[in-house]
Each structure stands twice: as C-alpha cells, then as structure tokens.
C-alpha cells in the first residue's frame, strides 16, 4: 500500500513538472516551426550560390541580372518559400511598396472596375493598395493626403476630381508623386490618363443623329464641380451644331451623381421638352434613371425614345432594355494608372504626360432608328 502511494505521489510530481514545462516546450516547437518557414535573404543567396545583392536585384530589378543567376535565385526563393519582410524592405530602400487611391464615390460601380484594374497591376508590380473614399469633400480629401503621407505611401492615384490648387499644393508639399485618373490638369504638369470625354460624347450624339433623331436632349453633370461635365456637354453641342440641329438650355438638365437625381432630371427635361425622341446621358446610371422615369410615364424605350449612356458598367448589359452606351476601358484605366505611377516612381518621369485611352460605342437595345 505504501509502495502504491509512493508511486502515485511520484507520478503526480512528474505531471506537475511536465505541466510547468509545457509552455516552454510549445514555444520551442513554435520557434522551430517558424524557423523553418522564415527563410532569410542569406539563405536564398547561399542556396543559389550568389551574393545577397544579386538576390536583392532579382527581387527589385530582375532585368539587370543575367538569366542563369536569375533562374537560380527564383528557384531558391521557391524552394525556401522566401518572403521578404515588408518593413525591412521599406527601411532599406526607403519605399513602403504601397500606393494610395483617392476616389470620390466608392458606391459608384465605375470605381469597382478602376479598383480591380489597379489591384491587379499592384499585385504584378509588388505594391499594396490603400483606398480612400472622399465623398467629394474637400476637408476629407486633404485629411486623406495627410494620412497617406503618415503611412509613407510611395505614390497616389487621384481619380475623377478636379485638381484644385489646394490639392496640388498639399500633394507637392508632402512630396508625394501622383498621377491623375479620369481627370486632367492643364494648369499643372501632372501625368494623367483618361478617355477623350469631348470626342466620346460627340460620337454618342452623332450615333443618335445617324439613327434619324433630330430632337435630342441631354442629362449631364453640373459644370462647376465636375471634370467630365463640360467636355461631354461640348461634345453634345458640337454634334448637334455640325448636323444643323437645335440645342438650347431647355434640352439639357444636370444631375448629381446618382440614379435618383437622374430620374428627377429626366422629369424636368420631358416636362420642358416633351417632344424629344432621344436622350444622351453622361453616365450609365443616369441612363437607367432616365429609362425608369420614361417607363413610369408609359413611354417606350426604344419604341418612342432612344437612350444612350456612358461608361459601359457591368449593369449596362443586365438592365432592361440593355443599354446602348459609350464604353470606357474602365479596368484598363485602373491598370494603366498603376503602371504609370510605377513608371513615375521608378524613373522620375513618364513617357506620355497626358495619356488618352480609346472609347468604344456599344449598341444594344435602348436605341433604334427613328
């Protein structure tokens, strides 16, 4: 009996000792596992039989390394599952490998395509992407520039807003390189990428004229706070003028940036000029609002009124009727903006300062011959 009690007591002591040592055992095991996962740049260099600087050049400027060495380094990276520490890279190269994106309305489907394009380009180029929604609010936009500066982003893409002097001074004062997307500046020498809004609007209205329409209205953006509003209006006027057709203030109504605003603008447009047979809308969302208004009034589209939009959002092909529209290369605009900013960051300049991408007329169900 005494022997049994002694054995039980000894076992109890052993269990207590093991329990006390358990955290250390687990920590040691975790360290070993992490050690296996976290290879260093020295490990890569040793396995590839190259210098550490060669590994660094393969990761940051692979075109400067001869193919045989580059292939050995890439294979070593693959075998060791090497992932460079972003914080360490930022300290060494004075880069955060992060880009910032300023957009005015994250609910607008146009920016979903822009973001997707930028994100894919950033993944390819080795950047992370930070997105800030300004709501077209000046103070918020300026505070986001400060936030990007604090986060030490390498550069910023400034999308779809007017580059007011206050914004330019803030960006240049923070010494942050930036590129304009779906906007431009003729006052400042800033790289930009967009479609030609005037020509695109002209092509849309010319298409309606070629269908036989003579009484054409427009749902546009206001001119005071919109970068795209004035050139799209000028394209509308140019097409009508060249065709010898009437245009006046009653045939143009402006809306803010939402479907419901366009619905109200359509009400005002057809109340003032009920004889219109076609409408050019400066955004697909505006075209959808206009068609909804006409449907509620019992006016057939395209039977009585043809409607053409602008953007070619994904919803344009899902709406009933499917929208005839001017397609912007939305994804490509976002992708190219990231590439252009990378070019600016890498070389200090860009090959083309103010770059234009091609638009395209997409004919669907919301338009027909008069």
């Amino acid at each position: 009996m005494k022997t049994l009690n002694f054995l039980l007591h000894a076992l109890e002591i052993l269990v207590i000792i093991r329990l006390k040592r358990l955290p250390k055992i687990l920590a040691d095991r975790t360290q070993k596992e992490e050690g296996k996962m976290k290879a260093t740049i020295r490990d890569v260099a040793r396995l590839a039989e190259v210098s550490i600087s060669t590994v660094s050049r393969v990761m940051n400027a692979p075109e400067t390394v001869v193919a045989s060495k580059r292939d050995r380094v890439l294979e070593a990276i693959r075998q060791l599952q090497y992932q460079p520490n972003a914080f360490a890279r930022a300290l060494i190269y004075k880069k955060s490998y992060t880009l910032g994106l300023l957009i005015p309305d994250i609910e607008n489907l146009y920016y979903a395509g822009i973001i997707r394009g930028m994100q894919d380009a950033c993944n390819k180029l080795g950047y992370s992407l930070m997105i800030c929604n300004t709501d077209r609010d000046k103070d918020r936009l300026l505070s986001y520039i400060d936030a990007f500066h604090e986060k030490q982003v390498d550069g910023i893409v400034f999308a779809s807003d007017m580059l007011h002097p206050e914004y330019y001074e803030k960006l240049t004062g923070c010494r942050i390189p930036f590129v304009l997307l779906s906007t431009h500046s003729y006052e400042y020498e800033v790289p930009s990428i967009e479609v030609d809004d005037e020509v695109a609007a002209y092509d849309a209205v010319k298409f309606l004229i070629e269908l036989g329409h003579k009484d054409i209205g427009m749902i546009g953006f206001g001119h005071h706070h919109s970068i795209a509003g004035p050139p799209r209006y000028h394209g509308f006027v140019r097409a009508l003028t060249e065709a010898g057709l009437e245009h006046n203030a009653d045939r143009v109504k402006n809306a803010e940036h939402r479907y419901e605003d366009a619905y109200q603008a359509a009400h005002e447009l057809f109340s003032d000029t009920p004889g219109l047979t076609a409408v050019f809308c400066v955004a697909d969302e505006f075209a959808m609002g206009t068609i909804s208004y006409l449907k509620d009034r019992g006016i057939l589209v395209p039977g009585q009124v043809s409607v053409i939009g602008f953007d070619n959002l994904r919803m344009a092909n899902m709406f009933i009727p499917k929208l005839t529209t001017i397609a912007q290369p939305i994804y490509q605009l976002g992708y190219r903006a990231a590439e252009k900013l990378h070019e600016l960051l890498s070389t200090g300049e860009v090959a083309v300062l103010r770059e234009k991408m091609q638009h395209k007329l997409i004919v669907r169900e919301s338009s027909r011959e008069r």
Side-chain angles (χ1 to χ4, degrees):
M1 188 67 177
K2 288 182 179 180
T3 303
L4 180 60
N5 288 336
F6 174 79
L7 290 173
L8 289 173
H9 182 65
L11 180 61
E12 183 179 357
I13 292 172
L14 180 62
V15 169
I16 291 171
I17 292 172
R18 295 293 291 178
L19 287 173
K20 286 182 178 180
R21 292 184 59 196
L22 183 60
K24 186 177 186 306
I25 293 169
L26 292 175
D28 290 344
R29 183 177 298 173
T30 300
Q31 285 183 347
K32 289 179 180 178
E33 290 175 353
E34 289 181 347
K36 290 178 182 177
M37 292 174 62
K38 293 185 178 179
T40 68
I41 193 170
R42 291 180 184 277
D43 297 328
V44 174
R46 189 179 301 113
L47 182 59
E49 298 180 340
V50 297
S51 67
I52 292 175
S53 62
T54 299
V55 177
S56 178
R57 284 190 293 121
V58 168
M59 291 189 297
N60 294 281
E63 69 281 357
T64 65
V65 182
V66 297
S68 58
K69 288 185 178 180
R70 184 170 66 239
D71 291 344
R72 293 208 309 271
V73 170
L74 292 174
E75 178 60 22
I77 289 172
R78 187 191 65 79
Q79 288 185 27
L80 296 172
Q81 298 181 337
Y82 172 63
Q83 292 183 331
N85 183 287
F87 180 71
R89 288 178 69 192
L91 290 175
I92 295 169
Y93 299 106
K94 294 182 172 57
K95 293 181 66 177
S96 65
Y97 296 91
T98 302
L99 303 183
L101 171 62
L102 292 167
I103 57 174
D105 183 4
I106 201 166
E107 290 185 335
N108 189 321
L109 290 176
Y110 176 80
Y111 298 106
I114 291 291
I115 291 169
R116 179 60 186 269
M118 275 201 69
Q119 186 70 69
D120 285 354
C122 284
N123 286 340
K124 178 183 177 182
L125 296 169
Y127 294 98
S128 297
L129 181 64
M130 293 179 62
I131 303 164
C132 287
N133 175 53
T134 69
D135 274 339
R136 295 185 173 85
D137 180 271
K138 181 188 74 172
D139 292 335
R140 180 181 290 190
L141 190 152
L142 292 172
S143 72
Y144 284 148
I145 295 173
D146 284 333
F148 282 150
H149 185 233
E150 290 173 6
K151 298 291 185 182
Q152 297 183 327
V153 300
D154 296 329
I156 293 174
V157 172
F158 182 99
S160 300
D161 211 340
M162 299 180 73
L163 185 64
H164 296 293
E166 195 170 359
Y167 300 161
Y168 177 80
E169 290 167 9
K170 170 69 78 170
L171 286 161
T172 53
C174 291
R175 302 177 67 85
I176 305 175
F178 65 101
V179 166
L180 305 178
L181 170 59
S182 295
T183 182
H184 60 265
S185 173
Y186 295 123
E187 184 175 358
Y188 307 109
E189 295 292 297
V190 180
S192 60
I193 183 163
E194 60 182 338
V195 299
D196 191 321
D197 286 301
E198 195 274 346
V199 174
Y202 171 87
D203 288 346
V205 180
K206 184 179 179 182
F207 168 73
L208 293 174
I209 294 169
E210 290 172 348
L211 289 179
H213 294 281
K214 297 182 179 180
D215 297 305
I216 304 171
M218 174 178 173
I219 305 292
F221 296 129
H223 290 203
H224 298 296
H225 304 291
S226 169
I227 193 71
R232 293 183 192 181
Y233 171 75
H234 294 152
F236 168 79
V237 170
R238 180 162 70 94
L240 293 177
T241 301
E242 286 185 4
L245 299 178
E246 180 184 1
H247 60 85
N248 56 55
D250 288 340
R251 291 172 180 250
V252 179
K253 301 299 178 184
N254 292 326
E256 294 300 324
H257 296 271
R258 298 298 176 93
Y259 164 97
E260 54 269 22
D261 300 318
Y263 187 102
Q264 178 60 32
H267 167 71
E268 295 170 6
L269 179 64
F270 281 89
S271 295
D272 290 348
T273 51
L276 296 177
T277 65
V279 182
F280 164 55
C281 298
V282 297
D284 284 347
E285 194 165 340
F286 284 12
M288 294 174 194
T290 299
I291 292 171
S292 294
Y293 167 77
L294 293 171
K295 180 181 178 182
D296 290 347
R297 289 286 306 274
I299 299 172
L300 300 177
V301 176
Q304 295 169 269
V305 176
S306 289
V307 177
I308 186 170
F310 198 112
D311 287 332
N312 196 35
L313 304 177
R314 288 184 63 193
M315 287 293 294
N317 199 39
M318 304 175 194
F319 195 73
I320 299 176
K322 295 179 180 181
L323 289 183
T324 294
T325 188
I326 293 293
Q328 295 197 65
I330 301 173
Y331 173 90
Q332 289 80 5
L333 282 165
Y335 197 100
R336 183 70 188 112
E339 287 186 324
K340 200 173 189 72
L341 183 53
H342 174 69
E343 179 186 3
L344 180 63
L345 293 170
S346 301
T347 68
E349 59 184 5
V350 294
V352 180
L353 184 66
R354 297 183 179 94
E355 187 173 344
K356 302 284 188 180
M357 296 194 79
Q358 188 61 46
H359 62 275
K360 183 180 179 182
L361 173 67
I362 305 294
V363 180
R364 296 194 181 101
E365 299 171 353
S366 66
S367 60
R368 77 171 195 183
E369 291 185 358
R370 176 65 177 157

